[in-house]
Amino acid sequence: MSNTASSSSVGKQVVLENRVEQLDASEDAYGGVIVEIKEAVDPNVFTILLRASISKWRQQGKSGVWIKLPIELVNLVEAAVKEGFWYHHAEPTYLMLVYWIPETANTLPANASHRVGIGAFVMDNEGKVLVVQENNGAFKDTGVWKLPTGVVDEGEDICDAAIREVKEETGIETEFLEILAFRQSHKSFYGKSDLFFVCMLKPLSYDIQKQDSEIKAAQWMPIEEYAGQVFVQKHKQFSYVAEICLAKKDNHYAGFSAVPTTSAFAAKKNYLYFKKQDLELEV
Amino acid sequence: MSNTASSSSVGKQVVLENRVEQLDASEDAYGGVIVEIKEAVDPNVFTILLRASISKWRQQGKSGVWIKLPIELVNLVEAAVKEGFWYHHAEPTYLMLVYWIPETANTLPANASHRVGIGAFVMDNEGKVLVVQENNGAFKDTGVWKLPTGVVDEGEDICDAAIREVKEETGIETEFLEILAFRQSHKSFYGKSDLFFVCMLKPLSYDIQKQDSEIKAAQWMPIEEYAGQVFVQKHKQFSYVAEICLAKKDNHYAGFSAVPTTSAFAAKKNYLYFKKQDLELEV
């Protein structure tokens, strides 16, 4: 926001020196502008500022217009929508609205489409696997022993999420080894899709301290016993994963390792997951 | 909505037979309720209905309350937020608000956190790979030849997205073979994370018909020439992928196959990706 628009007397100051004040905006890398409203403004004043700003951005040949409204400024949402904006995405603390100035079809990036989860296959040297029963969820009261699972947080690496979830649910310390498999499923949540990664981890401790709120029971169980459960045998997804785990015990299955790299353009650290041992690389 | 609340004379009819009308809601599988408002209602009436409904749901021991508001009913957003609701997620046509009735910390599921993309490695029998130069984006005017890439649509399988993007950008028909590697990166878009899958595809046609809007040029290029580009050599992420592609040419790298399965609980079709040839399975 301009200082003017965010001051309490903004209403009187909209027109200054025969010109209409405009919203402060920063430019994005795709010919658009980003407006982040941080302080209260009267909705009618906001509408005037928005119209003047869009008119200017149109003259300047701008394309997409992004407005980020904190939830405290919910009273401006209707004004923006009335000016032609629509929702792009929302998080608990803010709503992101967008508008497309050109006559052409918009090329705005899509919203996030997937949630990401992990299942942790933690096997000790004797071929025992760490399994749990949960207090809630689809497996509640089924008696099925399952691998610890959890959701990957926004900004969290899959390999770190697996270590965190095992520690939270069972108290066991682990080291990440490999991605053994992954599953993509759809319409898991309001039309969103889901990616679930089966991670193999090496235990660094053995004394289970279960999390009481989520976990009903936890134990080390022979892998053959885990794989032999009726539920696992009956459902292909689970039996495939169990077969992979059994193959892993006999050391004739190779998954993807997590190899740290940096992105080409932003020099951000990230992981590339691939079958490292098939390549002759210094990593 | 109840018929009452959605009628034009709803204001007068909120109190009927000494009781306050409530919002129509369906129950979710986690002890919560879902309200989908479909028709116009006065914001003040909406507030009254919402308060009465929450009071009832509290007595019933309900936990999460979901309200889905189409963008046409943007005038109700402020009323919901004033009653303590916050944003869960949004799509162009609607906003999903949530509220948590119990005193305990909420266990509402997280919003989608990742966008998913694909890169397509299409190699012919002579070791030539399908490469493109793009009109826009980070590689614009760099002269770098890159693999065709694209975004996986909501509800779309990764293997199908790879086939679709190659067809759209180059006109080449393909068959999906394997996932060779994937990369997870963060803060790629307003704090959201990104998963990018390198897919190997077998070409079923060879005559390139490029898409003019996105693609500046497309050609079949010897894999060694692709891998030898300065940009590829310079950036680890790209050089690893190039090494994998080269290994694939010599047939000493194995990725993950896409094996169709069904989910255990909903009988929905989905894919499990794993190294099929390491297992002795009938799939």
Side-chain angles (χ1 to χ4, degrees):
Chain A
M1 299 276 323
S2 70
N3 289 333
T4 305
S6 60
S7 80
S8 60
S9 58
V10 64
K12 296 175 191 165
Q13 295 184 28
V14 169
V15 181
L16 275 177
E17 301 170 16
N18 285 330
R19 65 188 182 87
V20 176
E21 289 291 302
Q22 283 146 8
L23 296 167
D24 271 357
S26 56
E27 301 194 346
D28 69 20
Y30 303 90
V33 292
I34 305 167
V35 179
E36 194 165 345
I37 313 283
K38 290 179 176 166
E39 295 183 50
V41 49
D42 176 84
N44 294 321
V45 174
F46 176 68
T47 298
I48 293 168
L49 291 169
L50 192 52
R51 286 180 187 169
S53 303
I54 288 176
S55 172
K56 180 188 70 177
W57 296 324
R58 179 171 282 119
Q59 285 172 16
Q60 293 174 344
K62 297 297 180 194
S63 50
V65 180
W66 301 83
I67 297 182
K68 184 177 180 179
L69 285 180
I71 193 166
E72 295 76 22
L73 304 185
V74 62
N75 66 323
L76 303 181
V77 176
E78 188 176 356
V81 170
K82 279 187 174 164
E83 294 307 308
F85 280 74
W86 64 90
Y87 308 140
H88 187 273
H89 67 276
E91 294 296 327
T93 59
Y94 75 88
L95 177 62
M96 184 70 80
L97 296 126
V98 280
Y99 182 74
W100 185 252
I101 294 177
E103 299 294 318
T104 54
N106 90 62
T107 58
L108 297 164
N111 191 3
S113 54
H114 284 65
R115 288 195 300 172
V116 179
I118 59 91
F121 173 56
V122 185
M123 187 169 61
D124 69 12
N125 289 332
E126 296 168 357
K128 284 186 176 171
V129 56
L130 182 64
V131 290
V132 299
Q133 291 187 342
E134 293 174 341
N135 286 326
N136 294 298
F139 288 93
K140 184 182 176 180
D141 299 329
T142 58
V144 175
W145 290 95
K146 59 186 280 294
L147 304 182
T149 55
V151 174
V152 178
D153 292 333
E154 203 165 276
E156 185 178 36
D157 285 310
I158 291 164
C159 47
D160 293 339
I163 293 170
R164 175 183 56 73
E165 285 287 348
V166 170
K167 173 76 178 164
E168 282 177 11
E169 294 193 355
T170 68
I172 300 296
E173 305 274 356
T174 56
E175 177 189 327
F176 177 86
L177 295 176
E178 280 183 352
I179 303 279
L180 298 182
F182 65 90
R183 183 204 67 206
Q184 189 190 22
S185 56
H186 302 299
K187 299 207 178 291
S188 67
F189 175 71
Y190 292 114
K192 297 292 178 181
S193 300
D194 192 272
L195 275 162
F196 180 84
F197 292 86
V198 181
C199 302
M200 183 167 190
L201 303 161
K202 180 182 157 184
L204 303 176
S205 72
Y206 300 90
D207 181 25
I208 293 172
Q209 305 278 344
K210 81 176 181 70
Q211 181 190 50
D212 292 333
S213 61
E214 286 183 40
I215 304 300
K216 188 178 166 190
Q219 65 165 322
W220 294 98
M221 176 184 265
I223 173 72
E224 294 78 8
E225 194 177 327
Y226 165 77
Q229 295 179 95
V230 173
F231 180 89
V232 171
Q233 287 294 313
K234 199 171 140 193
H235 294 284
K236 274 217 160 180
Q237 272 187 193
F238 289 83
S239 64
Y240 285 152
V241 171
E243 287 294 326
I244 292 167
C245 294
L246 284 166
K248 203 68 212 180
K249 188 191 172 191
D250 299 334
N251 217 10
H252 61 74
Y253 184 90
F256 285 176
S257 306
V259 178
T261 62
T262 50
S263 71
F265 298 105
K268 285 185 290 188
K269 258 195 69 174
N270 54 36
Y271 285 99
L272 188 69
Y273 295 82
F274 61 95
K275 197 157 163 266
K276 194 171 69 173
Q277 62 269 48
D278 278 4
L279 303 185
E280 289 159 20
L281 293 174
E282 294 169 32
V283 291
Chain B
M1 299 274 326
S2 70
N3 290 333
T4 305
S6 62
S7 80
S8 60
S9 58
V10 64
K12 296 173 192 167
Q13 296 182 29
V14 168
V15 181
L16 277 177
E17 300 168 18
N18 284 331
R19 64 184 183 89
V20 177
E21 289 290 302
Q22 283 145 7
L23 296 167
D24 273 356
S26 56
E27 301 194 347
D28 70 20
Y30 304 91
V33 292
I34 305 167
V35 178
E36 194 165 344
I37 313 283
K38 290 179 176 165
E39 294 183 52
V41 48
D42 176 84
N44 295 321
V45 174
F46 177 68
T47 299
I48 293 167
L49 291 168
L50 192 51
R51 285 180 187 170
S53 302
I54 288 176
S55 172
K56 180 188 69 177
W57 295 326
R58 179 172 281 119
Q59 285 171 17
Q60 293 175 343
K62 297 297 180 194
S63 51
V65 180
W66 301 83
I67 297 183
K68 185 176 179 178
L69 284 181
I71 194 165
E72 294 77 22
L73 303 185
V74 62
N75 66 322
L76 303 181
V77 176
E78 188 176 357
V81 171
K82 279 187 176 165
E83 294 306 307
F85 280 74
W86 64 90
Y87 307 141
H88 187 274
H89 67 275
E91 293 296 327
T93 59
Y94 75 90
L95 177 62
M96 185 69 81
L97 295 126
V98 280
Y99 182 74
W100 184 251
I101 294 177
E103 299 292 318
T104 55
N106 89 63
T107 57
L108 296 164
N111 190 3
S113 54
H114 285 64
R115 288 196 298 173
V116 179
I118 59 90
F121 173 56
V122 186
M123 187 169 60
D124 70 12
N125 288 333
E126 296 168 357
K128 284 187 175 171
V129 56
L130 183 63
V131 291
V132 300
Q133 292 187 340
E134 293 174 341
N135 287 326
N136 294 297
F139 288 93
K140 184 182 175 181
D141 299 330
T142 59
V144 175
W145 290 96
K146 59 187 282 293
L147 304 181
T149 56
V151 175
V152 178
D153 291 334
E154 205 165 274
E156 185 178 36
D157 285 310
I158 292 164
C159 48
D160 293 339
I163 292 169
R164 176 183 54 75
E165 283 288 348
V166 169
K167 175 75 179 165
E168 281 177 13
E169 294 193 355
T170 69
I172 300 295
E173 305 273 355
T174 56
E175 177 189 329
F176 176 85
L177 295 176
E178 282 182 351
I179 303 279
L180 299 182
F182 65 90
R183 183 205 65 206
Q184 187 190 24
S185 55
H186 303 300
K187 299 207 176 295
S188 68
F189 175 71
Y190 292 115
K192 296 291 178 183
S193 299
D194 191 272
L195 275 162
F196 179 84
F197 293 85
V198 181
C199 303
M200 183 165 188
L201 303 160
K202 179 182 158 184
L204 301 176
S205 71
Y206 300 89
D207 181 24
I208 292 171
Q209 305 279 344
K210 81 174 181 72
Q211 180 189 51
D212 292 332
S213 60
E214 287 183 37
I215 304 300
K216 188 177 165 190
Q219 66 164 322
W220 293 98
M221 175 185 266
I223 173 70
E224 294 78 9
E225 194 176 328
Y226 166 76
Q229 294 178 97
V230 173
F231 180 89
V232 171
Q233 287 295 314
K234 200 170 141 193
H235 295 284
K236 275 217 160 181
Q237 273 187 193
F238 290 82
S239 63
Y240 285 152
V241 170
E243 287 294 325
I244 292 167
C245 294
L246 284 166
K248 204 68 213 179
K249 188 191 172 191
D250 298 336
N251 217 12
H252 61 76
Y253 183 92
F256 286 175
S257 305
V259 178
T261 63
T262 50
S263 72
F265 298 104
K268 283 185 291 188
K269 257 195 68 174
N270 55 36
Y271 285 100
L272 188 69
Y273 295 82
F274 60 93
K275 196 156 162 264
K276 193 171 70 172
Q277 62 270 47
D278 277 6
L279 304 184
E280 288 158 20
L281 294 174
E282 295 169 32
V283 290

